[in-house]
Amino acid sequence: MQASEAIKKRRSVRDFKPEAVEDDTLMELLEAAVNAPTAGNVQPWKFAVVKEDNIKQELEKAALYQSWISRAPAVIVVMADLNRAAAAYGRRGVELYCIQDTAAATQNILLAAVEKGLYGCWIGAFSEKGVSKCMDLPSELRPLVLLPLGYPAAIPSPPPRRQVEEVLF
Ligand SMILES: Cc1cc2nc3c(=O)[nH]c(=O)nc-3n(C[C@H](O)[C@H](O)[C@H](O)COP(=O)(O)O)c2cc1C
């Protein structure tokens, strides 16, 4: 699949078939993640794949009860490694670069997923404290994105986009 096709086809999907996602496929998605660009090639990230129902339910609770999250066969938790970010770039590393780096990794996962017929949704609305607690994360790992993934039960139509002419400064 061409990159341009994956970019167009990617959609936020919140309704999944119960079918599991194979471990090999999940590893390929993480391979796509670690190929994202990072400031100074620091790669200040960690990823967790959650498949256990009880932890998915805890994640859902932390994510303001977005009640479809635990129905996804897998949830990738994208985290910034703040120690690694700080060691390389101090405050700017912690406050900016690691957030941009993990965002690039997240988008890579979503685009690589499309090629495999998998869809998901970038979840930013969650209690970081709640996620850290249920995942038992050390303090240097900041959870930034939850990414429920699976084979879609339905793919919604694209929501409206602002046109390039409107956003071109
Ligand atoms: C930083 C960020 C945070 C988001 N947080 C949530 C969220 O908490 N819950 C949700 O259902 N969708 C969330 N979304 C998905 C957006 O709602 C979605 O991308 C947007 O409506 C455009 O739809 P599309 O992804 O299908 O193009 C988030 C997306 C981004 C980039």
Side-chain angles (χ1 to χ4, degrees), residues 127-138 141-143:
S127 150
E128 293 185 22
K129 228 176 178 176
V131 169
S132 297
K133 193 165 172 223
C134 82
M135 301 276 299
D136 203 15
L137 298 179
L141 293 186
R142 180 177 179 196

Side-chain angles (χ1 to χ4, degrees), residues 10-12 14 66 68 121-125 159 161:
R10 184 211 57 79
R11 198 81 292 120
S12 289
R14 302 172 180 86
Q66 298 189 62
W68 50 275
C121 183
W122 185 318
I123 301 288
R161 254 32 192 196

Side-chain angles (χ1 to χ4, degrees), residues 107-161:
Q107 182 71 348
N108 269 15
I109 294 173
L110 288 171
L111 293 179
V114 171
E115 202 188 350
K116 299 178 182 309
L118 284 164
Y119 287 78
C121 183
W122 185 318
I123 301 288
F126 61 86
S127 150
E128 293 185 22
K129 228 176 178 176
V131 169
S132 297
K133 193 165 172 223
C134 82
M135 301 276 299
D136 203 15
L137 298 179
S139 58
E140 72 272 17
L141 293 186
R142 180 177 179 196
L144 290 172
V145 183
L146 304 181
L147 216 44
L149 284 167
Y151 295 98
I155 301 176
S157 326
R161 254 32 192 196

